[in-house]
Amino acid sequence: VKVQYPGVDEAVDLAALVDSIAADLADTGTPVTCETSGRTDITGRPDALRRVFRNLIENAVTYGERARITVSTPADEAIVTIDDHGPAIPAADRARAFEPVVRLAASGPTQTGGARLRLSSSAHIVEGHG
């Protein structure tokens, strides 16, 4: 799988990167598991990808109790799926969830005024990687 990101030409094993994040979090007692189907070589920015997947996994655990991650490579794609057991973002709020500094009351703890998911920067980085 070859993912294009402007100005970046670094090989990354996406499966190993995501698995290492999951293992680090599991070592701290975070309820997270990861299944991969072997190497998933892409070209991209490892630090940015690590930030994205750590954010998404931490959101899954924070708002969905636990995370189950799978990394697969059907055809010429790299697919990372992060499942949790929490409430879904309501359909009416899904587009807003990607706006900077948005709070979603339905999915977040009431004592903090809702969830700040930090999805805007994550989406930007993922889109930049194709």
Side-chain angles (χ1 to χ4, degrees):
V1 177
K2 177 102 171 156
V3 178
Q4 299 296 319
Y5 195 85
V8 175
D9 190 29
E10 188 170 342
V12 178
D13 180 350
L14 186 61
L17 183 139
V18 172
D19 189 54
S20 72
I21 295 167
D24 288 348
L25 290 170
D27 285 346
T28 66
T30 303
V32 60
T33 60
C34 184
E35 300 172 22
T36 67
S37 59
R39 285 188 67 89
T40 307
D41 294 322
I42 66 169
T43 301
R45 294 176 31 195
D47 291 340
L49 291 168
R50 185 175 314 281
R51 198 167 40 251
V52 165
F53 289 110
R54 185 166 183 106
N55 177 43
L56 295 175
I57 295 165
E58 286 177 346
N59 277 337
V61 173
T62 300
Y63 304 107
E65 300 175 19
R66 60 185 177 267
R68 180 177 169 267
I69 306 148
T70 56
V71 182
S72 59
T73 55
D76 288 336
E77 297 179 301
I79 299 176
V80 178
T81 304
I82 303 170
D83 290 315
D84 64 42
H85 296 277
I89 296 172
D93 288 335
R94 288 187 186 145
R96 281 187 11 161
F98 291 96
E99 294 174 6
V101 195
V102 69
R103 285 196 184 271
L104 300 176
S107 64
T110 56
Q111 66 270 25
T112 63
R116 288 189 60 193
L117 302 174
R118 300 182 322 254
L119 295 179
S120 175
S121 59
S122 294
H124 177 73
I125 292 168
V126 170
E127 288 169 0
H129 279 81

